[in-house]
């Protein structure tokens, strides 16, 4: 399967779909997951059209990792979870549902139950508040 420009993250990158932004530079965009597994669930994507990690040019590696670590540290400060999960899926068989490479940053703690995907779309105002807390703790 080749990269399909009609995927939702491609539309977010082109500005044709909205997102609640957390961090952006020339290489990456980070934004709130619209169906969070737990409060603060953030996604980091490269500004490079690839469906998965296997095809990502290495020049993006440091930018993705820097952003992921920065957001994970902020999530740790904001929510004080016992764990922070970094998740990245390649291919439908691996559970991937949106075919533009992305890294999930998800706080984990007892009582915050994790299912592979959530189907509950969050209120955008709630997402904006959570995004601001993360941004304020960079
Ligand atoms: P995957 O299963 O591909 O690793 O994760 C895709 C993620 O994208 C899911 O956690 C899902 O909630 C999220 N998602 C799906 N559609 C949208 C959308 O339109 N906007 C945002 N911000 N996240 C989305």
């Amino acid at each position: 399967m080749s990269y399909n420009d009609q995927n939702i993250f491609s539309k977010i990158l082109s500005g044709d779909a909205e997102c609640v932004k957390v961090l952006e530079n020339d290489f990456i965009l980070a934004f709130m997951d619209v169906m969070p597994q737990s409060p603060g669930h953030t996604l980091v994507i490269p500004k490079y059209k690839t469906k998965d990690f296997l095809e990502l040019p290495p020049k993006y590696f440091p930018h993705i990792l820097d952003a992921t670590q920065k957001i994970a540290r902020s999530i740790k400060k904001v929510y004080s979870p016992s764990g922070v999960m970094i998740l990245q899926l390649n291919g439908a068989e691996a559970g991937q549902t949106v075919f533009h490479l992305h890294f999930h940053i998800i706080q984990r703690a007892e009582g915050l139950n994790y299912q592979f995907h959530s189907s509950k779309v969050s209120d955008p105002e709630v997402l904006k508040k959570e995004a601001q807390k993360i941004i304020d703790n960079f």
Side-chain angles (χ1 to χ4, degrees), residues 8-9 12 17-20 31-37 41 43 87-90 94-100 102 104 106 116-120 127:
I8 185 65
F9 296 170
I12 286 174
E18 288 187 2
C19 72
V20 176
F31 53 92
M32 305 307 288
D33 193 304
V34 82
M35 289 177 273
Q37 296 288 344
H41 182 167
L43 302 169
L87 182 70
Q88 195 278 308
L89 309 173
N90 299 286
Q96 185 177 9
T97 57
V98 177
F99 295 95
H100 180 112
H102 51 280
H104 297 258
I106 304 171
F116 211 52
H117 289 103
S118 170
S119 53
K120 196 166 169 257
L127 290 182

Side-chain angles (χ1 to χ4, degrees), residues 9-23:
F9 296 170
S10 174
K11 290 183 178 170
I12 286 174
L13 277 181
S14 64
D16 293 327
E18 288 187 2
C19 72
V20 176
K21 231 174 252 186
V22 170
L23 189 63

Side-chain angles (χ1 to χ4, degrees), residues 36-95:
Q37 296 288 344
S38 55
H41 182 167
T42 307
L43 302 169
V44 179
I45 69 172
K47 288 186 175 179
Y48 178 84
K49 296 187 175 184
T50 177
K51 57 184 176 16
D52 61 30
F53 183 62
L54 283 64
E55 304 300 329
L56 183 69
K59 74 170 185 178
Y60 288 86
F61 294 178
H63 302 285
I64 296 253
L65 284 178
D66 279 353
T68 302
Q69 187 188 55
K70 186 170 181 166
I71 292 161
R73 283 179 169 164
S74 177
I75 284 175
K76 190 86 180 156
K77 276 195 235 166
V78 173
Y79 305 99
S80 303
S82 35
V84 179
M85 181 166 75
I86 313 290
L87 182 70
Q88 195 278 308
L89 309 173
N90 299 286
E93 295 76 8

